Amino acid sequence: MSRAHSAPTPEQPFEGEDPPKGSVPAPQRYEAPAPPERAEVPADEPRSPSLSSTEKRVLAVAGPISFVLFMLCGLAFGGWYWSWIFFMIPGVLYRWFHANDEN
């Protein structure tokens, strides 16, 4: 008996079927988008004046010193309710050093 239609072999699936299990599709190439270009700052805009090295050092230690003062006053004198004021020292110093800024 002859068959009119032969069954496809496993290597040749019917059209529209999923590929057989175990086959790996070809990898797709991904191209990353180009990074945006940096905007140039106009030269005519004034820049904020930089701090001196002494002012930078003072601002760097103001935070830890305010914490130490807070802990000392809180533990030694029980002044937890008022010693929070020491945390304002770094902000006051920052504004003092930038008093002449136009902004």
Side-chain angles (χ1 to χ4, degrees):
M1 217 184 210
S2 72
R3 295 176 123 179
H5 297 285
S6 64
T9 61
E11 292 83 25
Q12 300 170 344
F14 289 111
E15 279 188 38
E17 277 189 356
D18 292 333
K21 291 183 180 179
S23 66
V24 179
Q28 295 179 352
R29 183 168 174 86
Y30 173 76
E31 293 186 25
E37 294 184 20
R38 298 182 98 187
E40 292 186 21
V41 178
D44 59 337
E45 290 185 16
R47 296 184 181 249
S48 63
S50 62
L51 298 173
S52 70
S53 63
T54 304
E55 292 170 340
K56 288 179 183 177
R57 289 178 188 164
V58 169
L59 286 176
V61 298
I65 287 176
S66 65
F67 177 73
V68 168
L69 289 173
F70 170 75
M71 293 301 288
L72 271 171
C73 290
L75 292 171
F77 305 114
W80 297 108
Y81 57 92
W82 59 266
S83 61
W84 61 268
I85 199 84
F86 292 122
F87 288 114
M88 296 177 69
I89 292 172
V92 170
L93 288 174
Y94 182 83
R95 289 306 310 154
W96 181 272
F97 293 145
H98 288 89
N100 295 331
D101 290 354
E102 293 180 14
N103 294 333

